[in-house]
Every structure is written in C-alpha cells, then in structure tokens.
Amino acid sequence: METTLNDLRWKEVICVTDGTRYGYVDDCSFDLDTGQIRTLVVPGRARFFGLFGRREERLVRWEDVRRFGEDIILVEGAPEVRPAGRERKKFLWFLL
C-alpha cells in the first residue's frame, strides 16, 4: 500500500487497546539524517470555534503505530501530550 503525507491527513488515529479516538493526523516529524518518520502530530479540539486556539496536541511515536488502514491508523499505547503552541492561537489571544 502506497500513501503520501497528504493522504495521512485524512486518516483518523485510534488506539487499539481502549478504542480511544485521538483525531486526524495534522503533521509529521522526521529524522533528517535517516529520512524516517518519528512522530505523527494530532492536534487537539478547537476551543470556541477555533477563536481561542486548540487544546493540547498528541504526539504518536512511530514505534506505536500498529496498522494503516484505508481511513484509519491503529496505534498502541498512549501518545505524548504537548500543550498547543502560542503560534496556533488566534487574534483573541489577549482573552486567554
């Protein structure tokens, strides 16, 4: 099965062990020396229609990916949670 990075954005990440749905892949991080994917980045839910930014992001390690499907990615284990960066906040940042 072949896929592109753009195709990954349409795949939902689901945990195999407890069925938790983390969301859709937004970004990937690569190791530039080896060219391998290190993590899949799943953004948090939007706060108040996206005006107040997003909740924390989830970083799924590549080692935790178990299977790729046509529209889902099955992972095992809990992803690392990282607070959403300030660059994702919108124009109402002063209200936060």
Side-chain angles (χ1 to χ4, degrees), residues 11-24 42 45 58 60 72-79 81:
K11 295 184 187 285
E12 185 174 17
V13 179
I14 300 175
C15 183
V16 174
T17 55
D18 60 1
T20 304
R21 300 171 81 168
Y22 295 121
Y24 292 88
V42 179
R45 293 183 305 163
R58 289 180 171 81
V60 179
I72 63 171
I73 299 172
L74 298 177
V75 298
E76 189 173 11
V81 177

Side-chain angles (χ1 to χ4, degrees), residues 23-88:
Y24 292 88
V25 175
D26 183 51
D27 200 1
C28 299
S29 65
F30 293 91
D31 182 357
L32 293 178
D33 294 332
T34 63
Q36 295 178 339
I37 296 176
R38 290 292 175 207
T39 59
L40 301 174
V41 180
V42 179
R45 293 183 305 163
R47 295 184 195 162
F48 193 68
F49 304 111
L51 295 175
F52 295 112
R54 296 191 165 272
R55 300 193 189 281
E56 58 274 343
E57 297 176 327
R58 289 180 171 81
L59 304 175
V60 179
R61 295 181 321 156
W62 187 252
E63 294 82 23
D64 292 339
V65 174
R66 293 297 167 240
R67 181 147 335 249
F68 282 92
E70 244 181 80
D71 54 353
I72 63 171
I73 299 172
L74 298 177
V75 298
E76 189 173 11
E80 177 185 340
V81 177
R82 174 175 74 180
R86 295 293 288 176
E87 67 276 2
R88 294 195 183 257

